Amino acid sequence: MKKRNVLVLFWMCLLLISGSASAVSLSAEERAFIEEHPNVTIAMMIEHPPLTVVGDGDGEGFEHDLVELVAEKTGLSFEKRFGAWNDSLRRFRGGEVDMISSISWREERTPFTLYTTPYFHIPVFVFIRDDFGEYRDTRDLAGRKVGVIRDIFYEDKLEAAGSMELVRFDTYQDMTDALVLGEIDALVQNLGNINQVIKRRAYTNVRIAGELDLPGLSGEDLRFGITPEKPELHTIMQKGLDDIRPAEWEALSSRWLGVRDHGRRPAVGLTAAERAWLDHTGPIDICIDPNWMPFERFDESDEHDGISADYFALFGKMLDVEFRPVPVDTWSESVEHLKAGRCDLLSLAMRTPKRETYAEFTDSYIQTPLVVTTRADVAFIDGLDDLAGRKIAIPALYAFAELLRDEHPELELVEVADIDAGLELVRRGEVFGYIGTLATIGHKLQAEYAGELRITGDTGKSWDMGVAVREGQPILHGIMQKAVASITEEQRREINNKWIAVRYDQRVDYTLLWQVSAVFVLLLVAGGLFYLKQAGLRRQLEAAYEQAERLAVTDKLTGVYNRHRLDEALEKETRHAERYGECFGVIILDIDHFKSINDRLGHRAGDTVLREITDVLGDTCRRTDILGRWGGEEFLIVVPHADKATLTALTEKLRQAIESATFTEAGRVTASIGASLYGPDDNPDTLLKRADDALYVAKRQGRNTVVFR
């Protein structure tokens, strides 16, 4: 209800700006359509910032406000169906929904799409990490892993380039995470989506390499698509868009797309008592972390600097009050100052049970993921479980240190004064790794530890930080909560752009440098040849070792995980579920009548079917799912972070993908599927037994079906 009231107020403001938004003129057929269709179903992406992001279940963003405005003008009522882009497009193409948002015009889509005129134009860019090297054009992507959203319109053009390995994702968040953590080398997507993810998660090691330049490719022109079976809906939508006035477009853009709002700012809304308290109290003393860039620090002049400094400058203007930083040398000292009453609040702090005994917290206004940093020669870490028994540095009194001790007692935590002390212990080999925020670690690695340390893993957790107000000051807590809630999207963008914005790759002319350096090249060749020979031998040994490791966990025929690796994955997910209460599922899939394929066509054809069905499963599963061959013609899929709806949808998607595929030697093949979710009393054996029983029922019901238990 609260969100609805805010939206109503927003549109009232639009009406004041642009005059009354008169309803569009509809034909008799169009009015009849609205009467006969009280709800129009629309497929919208679950994550497409800043156009759409699912927040409290109803969604928010540019497209949501645009749909609401069209509804006001036409009388239409929309029922939103959220999903990844490929799922939304599949539902729209299959007639499960009446229309879809964020669709670009493509000739091949015209048989099943009536397009409105574009409501948004956006270019497509290539994003890379800082360690990528020089990027000039798509030829530099040769041999690299490049992330794309599954079924995006330029996917076929990238495939036609033939020089890169495409890795497909369902969400922008997963794709950007994969780039940040080194699972892919680059990604291709429009600027708005990725820039929002980067700033929301405070990533610092990603930059724009350049605009995607491929023959026949232009930027995205986003439109609404309507099923051809409802032509009246198409004309109504177009009339609604045509009726939007310039001032209304400007207000929409100002709210979501970064166009300035000419200084308009929502009032904080203080009560008379809160205003009087501020006037009587005077400057408010705040404590910060003195060495935590880009979030905050004391600079060379002992001035408060960083992201939090800009936010508190904004809070000062909102509240007409002075925030006065208290000099400290360490974060631990700041915490002790707050407890002792020597400062009133902590500028950036994460809520924990222990801290709630001496402070009250506002909502978070900055979120950033927590990552693991090790020496550069360490392999990638697959979560916190891989750190058991190792020494891990973490700053004393950090919120995450408290949570880690409770949730991961197997970790050997070494408290340090700050990030510098922690990274130095890692560099010297005295601890295995350091846990901290990606933004802060990335800032340090670029400036001081290039080539020595690197980010090797994601903890799977984020640091959600708000203002911590000293206990016993409820009025100040209420004031700061109102200030945090009053931050606009434009204000967030302005501050984040300053500190965490995507950086464009700078092109440098190296001609003169190469001319000067050429003289020295011959002098280096002799020593270089010897070094390369030794390095080549070392690489061969490393490659052989990696190959042996892969063979130990890989099924030789299909290339996916073998039963040994699947057992390990089940044990790991079970431990994770027991510890955190998160659910996961398993899927057992059996190829129908596989024996008859071997009998009719021979075992070679059967092997081909197994390899081809593996490709179908790999393309259909989520990136986080763990696929392996369970034995014979059976496959097992471990599905992390799944509820019943997720598992049911995935199993049906797998079944349909197999049924619709054409197999080289066997033609049409189907599969029976059993699935089950982990329960509180489960272990891997009981969970597998339930999924296997479900598979047996699926076969008894005639095969090519899914059963959930």
Side-chain angles (χ1 to χ4, degrees), residues 26-44:
L26 301 178
S27 68
E29 293 80 4
E30 291 165 343
R31 290 195 298 272
F33 175 88
I34 294 176
E35 291 179 5
E36 294 169 6
H37 299 83
N39 286 301
V40 172
T41 53
I42 177 171
M44 303 185 76

Side-chain angles (χ1 to χ4, degrees), residues 6 18 45 56 89 95 111-112 183 206 289 323 336 341 355 358 429 453 471 477 507 539 545 581 605 639 680 706:
V6 172
S18 59
M45 294 181 67
D56 60 2
L89 185 61
F112 59 89
E183 297 172 16
V206 176
D289 190 322
F323 290 100
E336 294 305 322
R355 286 180 176 177
Y358 58 82
L453 306 181
E471 186 183 28
H477 174 259
R507 308 295 170 82
R539 283 195 297 270
Y545 177 73
V639 187
V706 173

Side-chain angles (χ1 to χ4, degrees), residues 189-206:
Q189 186 53 40
N190 70 58
L191 177 63
N193 298 147
I194 304 304
N195 205 13
Q196 286 285 323
V197 173
I198 289 170
K199 289 185 286 186
R200 187 172 66 231
R201 302 275 283 180
Y203 293 146
T204 58
N205 63 339
V206 176

